[in-house]
């Protein structure tokens, strides 16, 4: 299910779930993203000392009031922490079991401060394959060695190459090296020339992280194929023409007032 770059409506990709309105990377944020009609949910993967794949952004546990690195913690220790509003840090298995049939996922493979997690790529692919979800799952990483290992263990895996402001170059070569189908660019890197070059190379262009309506409009006008946003409801309303201040919404409001 490779997309034809630039050919269809841009994907609404809920960044860490609907994380503008629920604690990021929690089941509540994913349920809300589904409810808000996101097309895809982006989640961040790490691996515990006892080899569980957990969904959380940072490699260390300070942000959740814990101590040390996920790589040194057991699943039980991670699960004891509060991910926000009493939610627990989800495992990848739990997320896929609960939402895998309802929505596509972008699995971003992270690393710890001492380097990559041994076996994370293969374990993530296996979790996805076990559920028959490989064709609808997009894997991504900022790190080329992770993507190369992923490609080695899963020739059919769909890959997006993450491009940061700190390392903005060579994105086309990086994408080619792992037979990626998409580039995930930081929004500040976006311009018409990059979109054109990516599309000419048959790569979809997904942009992170875009929350302001004006920026959404500008990027969609440039022909991008999807936006990572913490507010999928906002982007969906923009695509539907029902966001606050839109002509369609104003017409609707006038009808409501009549
Ligand atoms: O995958 C897009 C975006 O999530 C990458 O940055 O730091 O939010 O994981 P970060
Ligand atoms: Mg991420």
């Amino acid at each position: 299910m490779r997309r034809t770059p630039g050919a269809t409506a841009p994907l609404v990709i809920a960044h860490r779930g609907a994380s503008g309105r629920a604690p990021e990377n929690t089941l509540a944020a994913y349920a809300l993203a589904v409810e808000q009609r996101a097309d895809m949910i982006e989640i961040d993967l790490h691996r515990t000392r006892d080899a569980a794949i957990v969904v959380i952004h940072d490699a260390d546990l300070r942000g959740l009031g814990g101590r040390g690195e996920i790589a040194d913690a057991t699943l039980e220790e991670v699960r004891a922490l509060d991910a926000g509003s009493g939610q627990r840090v989800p495992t990848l298995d739990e997320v896929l079991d609960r939402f895998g049939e309802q929505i596509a996922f972008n699995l971003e493979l992270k690393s710890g401060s001492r380097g990559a997690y041994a076996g994370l790529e293969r374990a993530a692919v296996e979790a996805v394959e076990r559920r028959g979800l490989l064709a609808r799952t997009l894997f991504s990483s900022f790190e080329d060695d992770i993507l190369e290992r992923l490609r080695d263990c899963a020739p059919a895996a769909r890959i997006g190459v993450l491009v940061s402001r700190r390392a903005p170059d060579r994105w086309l070569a990086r994408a080619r090296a792992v037979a990626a189908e998409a580039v995930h660019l930081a929004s500040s890197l976006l311009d018409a020339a990059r979109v054109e070059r990516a599309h000419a190379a048959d790569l979809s262009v997904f942009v992170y992280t875009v929350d302001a309506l004006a920026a959404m409009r500008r990027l969609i006008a440039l022909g991008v194929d999807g936006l990572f946003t913490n507010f999928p409801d906002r982007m969906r309303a923009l695509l539907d023409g029902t966001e606050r201040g839109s002509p369609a919404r104003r017409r609707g409001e006038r009808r409501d007032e009549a």
Side-chain angles (χ1 to χ4, degrees), residues 13-22 24 32 36 42 209-211 216 227-234:
I13 308 172
H15 182 243
R16 312 178 194 174
S19 59
R21 306 198 193 276
E24 68 180 40
L32 190 56
Q36 295 180 345
E42 184 260 6
T209 301
V210 186
D211 287 341
M216 288 178 182
L227 300 178
F228 295 88
T229 178
N230 299 317
F231 294 91
D233 53 340
R234 196 175 286 167

Side-chain angles (χ1 to χ4, degrees), residues 15-16 25 42-45 56-57 106-110 140 142 162 208-209 228:
H15 182 243
R16 312 178 194 174
N25 279 324
E42 184 260 6
I43 65 179
D44 305 293
L45 305 187
I56 177 172
H57 182 264
N106 169 210
L107 306 183
E108 184 188 341
L109 301 166
K110 295 287 195 188
S140 63
F142 284 108
L162 268 160
Y208 65 91
T209 301
F228 295 88

Side-chain angles (χ1 to χ4, degrees), residues 39-205:
D39 296 300
M40 182 179 269
I41 298 175
E42 184 260 6
I43 65 179
D44 305 293
L45 305 187
H46 295 262
R47 207 167 195 210
T48 62
R49 193 176 83 211
D50 49 351
I53 302 179
V54 288
V55 188
I56 177 172
H57 182 264
D58 296 347
D60 69 64
L61 295 165
R62 267 177 311 185
L64 304 189
R67 284 162 54 155
E69 290 250 345
I70 294 169
D72 300 322
T74 62
L75 176 60
E76 195 183 347
E77 286 163 349
V78 173
R79 296 281 266 186
L81 302 170
D82 184 352
S85 308
Q87 298 268 308
R88 298 295 133 200
V89 171
T91 63
L92 176 60
D93 283 332
E94 193 178 12
V95 173
L96 295 178
D97 280 343
R98 175 101 174 257
F99 299 104
E101 295 294 331
Q102 297 178 50
I103 190 163
F105 278 89
N106 169 210
L107 306 183
E108 184 188 341
L109 301 166
K110 295 287 195 188
S111 51
S113 72
R114 299 189 300 272
Y117 297 101
L120 173 62
E121 308 83 18
R122 185 176 294 277
V125 164
E126 281 171 5
V128 167
E129 269 185 329
R130 259 200 312 279
R131 295 168 175 87
L133 298 172
L134 193 64
R136 68 187 301 196
T137 302
L138 185 60
F139 294 85
S140 63
S141 181
F142 284 108
E143 295 170 51
D144 293 339
D145 54 343
I146 290 179
L147 294 177
E148 281 157 20
R149 280 195 297 274
L150 179 76
R151 175 53 77 224
D152 285 347
C153 73
R158 301 172 55 206
I159 292 181
V161 168
L162 268 160
V163 186
S164 74
R165 269 181 307 173
R166 272 171 295 149
D169 304 322
R170 294 193 60 257
W171 53 272
L172 207 45
R174 292 178 57 211
R176 283 204 185 105
V178 293
E181 66 174 61
V183 282
H184 302 187
L185 294 165
S187 59
S188 58
L189 296 175
L190 239 286
D191 58 26
R194 281 201 171 94
V195 175
E196 209 170 294
R197 277 177 72 204
H199 285 174
D202 199 23
L203 291 165
S204 294
V205 178

